[in-house]
Each structure stands twice: as structure tokens, then as C-alpha cells.
Amino acid sequence: EAGVAQSPRYKIIEKRQSVAFWCNPISGHATLYWYQQILGQGPKLLIQFQNNGVVDDSQLPKDRFSAERLKGVDSTLKIQPAKLEDSAVYLCASSLTSGSGSYEQYFGPGTRLTVT
Amino acid sequence: GENVEQHPSTLSVQEGDSAVIKCTYSDSASNYFPWYKQELGKGPQLIIDIRSNVGEKKDQRIAVTLNKTAKHFSLHITETQPEDSAVYFCAASPDNYGQNFVFGPGTRLSVLP
């Protein structure tokens, strides 16, 4: 089966510019996650969707970050305006719906963002 | 909230030797503990997991042990091979459905030929 797709793979922007990342989860996976992975650290959850509803966005910096998952499939994560500290790899993951008994999260390759 | 610590941060072993990575967690409600392997330029991939009602789980050369009383769990890799070289992350989930992972900071494992 096809894995989680993300684009672009790399992005370089200047601070105060805006950027958007796209994610296409594994077909049939109702739950979608966006993580931020700063160099040398573990992934940190930004937002979790169940279908097209937000389950958890407690760690999303809402003054500059936004995310949506229209029609419960693809998702976009936007940063506006970007700061230097936003330089990181942004990972998208998906999993079967909660209550399915399967806990595995499948990760995409990530988008490496560099803010200069 | 949950906090996961992981040791060591880097580990070098000779090919064929064993490697052990240890994690501790803070939230006694956590009940699902996965281990992910991340190769350069790729997303993390699940290699083994354990739930709180089990003390040990093994899959070929990889095993995980869990001590709920002490709130720590460990990854054991035997007969290491060069392709085991990667960054390994432990995680803990306090969620009843195994979601909302909190990841450790990672261990960079190097297997020397």
C-alpha cells in the first residue's frame, strides 16, 4: 500500500514569510497528525485530526500556525509569519481510527523547513 | 503532562554485539509504549511496541521490556548489524486509544563493522 505522502520535501524561506505543507495520509486512515521535529529532538505533536475534526491542538502556536483537513483526507499546515525557531522537519503521520485496536502511526518522509 | 527521558543519547557498538536503550516516563496512566527507528531523511518507523499489561515482548532480534512500577522500559537489539544504525525513539501514550504520543529525545545508534 502507498505510504504517507508529503510535499514539498525541502523549503527555505526568510523570516516573516509564509509557508504551507501538504500531507496525503494512507487511504482509509481516519486519524492524521502533524509533528514538529527540531534537529536532535524527538517529534512533538502539533495537531491531531479525527476525520476532519480537531482532536488535540493544545501544542499548536495558534498565533502563527494553522492546519486544516478538508473532506477528512488531505491536510495542510501553514505558518504565517515564520520565525527562525520554526526551522525543523514537519512530519505528517496517520493511523486507523481510535478504538480499532491498532495504535501504529505511519509517518511520511517529512518536510525540512529552513527559516533564514 | 507526560515526560519521557531516554538514555544514552549516542551509542556505538561493534557488529554482532548487543545494544540496549532505556527510557523512563512520568505519567503512571501511560499504557502504550512504542519504539520507532528513524533513518536519515526518512520518517520514523515502528519497530516494536508493548502495552502495559505485558512485561516483555520479542520480535526476532528486537525485544522490549517494561517495568510499570519503576516507570521505565528498554529496547534490546541482539546481534547488531550495520543496517541497525539509525536514531531510535521511545514514546509513551497516556491515551486510552494509544494516541497522543510523547516521544523521547532519541538515541543515535552506530553499529561499527
Side-chain angles (χ1 to χ4, degrees):
Chain A
E1 67 182 359
V4 176
Q6 290 188 248
S7 68
R9 291 296 312 277
Y10 306 92
K11 190 74 176 179
I12 300 174
I13 62 172
E14 295 181 351
K15 59 183 179 184
R16 292 186 290 274
Q17 287 186 326
S18 63
V19 64
F21 313 126
W22 173 83
C23 173
N24 179 241
I26 292 174
S27 177
H29 282 193
T31 308
L32 185 146
Y33 314 79
W34 283 103
Y35 288 88
Q36 179 191 60
Q37 185 176 24
I38 293 173
L39 186 65
Q41 299 181 18
K44 184 185 84 170
L45 180 68
L46 293 175
I47 189 167
Q48 176 187 342
F49 292 94
Q50 179 80 7
N51 295 309
N52 60 349
V54 176
V55 175
D56 182 357
D57 64 355
S58 57
Q59 298 191 91
L60 186 73
K62 298 180 186 64
D63 58 332
R64 297 186 300 107
F65 285 65
S66 64
E68 61 181 8
R69 189 183 184 197
L70 298 177
K71 300 181 181 179
V73 183
D74 294 2
S75 177
T76 56
L77 177 69
K78 297 179 181 178
I79 307 175
Q80 182 179 9
K83 294 185 176 181
L84 296 177
E85 58 261 37
D86 298 332
S87 294
V89 174
Y90 290 84
L91 294 164
C92 178
S94 68
S95 67
L96 291 169
T97 189
S98 61
S100 67
S102 174
Y103 294 178
E104 182 172 357
Q105 293 185 20
Y106 296 80
F107 285 82
T111 296
R112 181 176 296 278
L113 173 67
T114 301
V115 182
T116 63
Chain B
E2 176 64 276
N3 181 55
V4 178
E5 296 184 354
Q6 186 171 346
H7 300 279
S9 56
T10 60
L11 179 60
S12 293
V13 299
Q14 290 294 134
E15 182 178 356
D17 287 350
S18 295
V20 180
I21 303 171
K22 300 180 179 181
C23 287
T24 61
Y25 61 99
S26 61
D27 189 343
S28 57
S30 287
N31 52 29
Y32 175 66
F33 308 91
W35 284 89
Y36 279 79
K37 174 183 180 182
Q38 187 173 28
E39 298 175 328
L40 194 63
K42 298 183 179 180
Q45 183 177 17
L46 180 72
I47 56 171
I48 196 166
D49 57 9
I50 192 167
R51 301 191 187 183
S52 59
N53 58 348
V54 177
E56 183 174 357
K57 183 177 178 180
K58 188 174 181 180
D59 182 5
Q60 299 183 344
R61 296 185 299 109
I62 296 173
V64 57
T65 58
L66 170 65
N67 184 326
K68 283 223 74 179
T69 302
K71 289 191 282 190
H72 67 70
F73 56 113
S74 300
L75 176 70
H76 304 253
I77 305 174
T78 59
E79 300 173 19
T80 54
Q81 302 167 2
E83 52 265 38
D84 294 329
S85 296
V87 179
Y88 291 81
F89 294 98
C90 62
S93 172
D95 184 271
N96 285 335
Y97 299 107
Q99 299 177 4
N100 296 332
F101 293 174
V102 175
F103 283 88
T107 296
R108 181 173 299 278
L109 173 64
S110 299
V111 180
L112 308 174

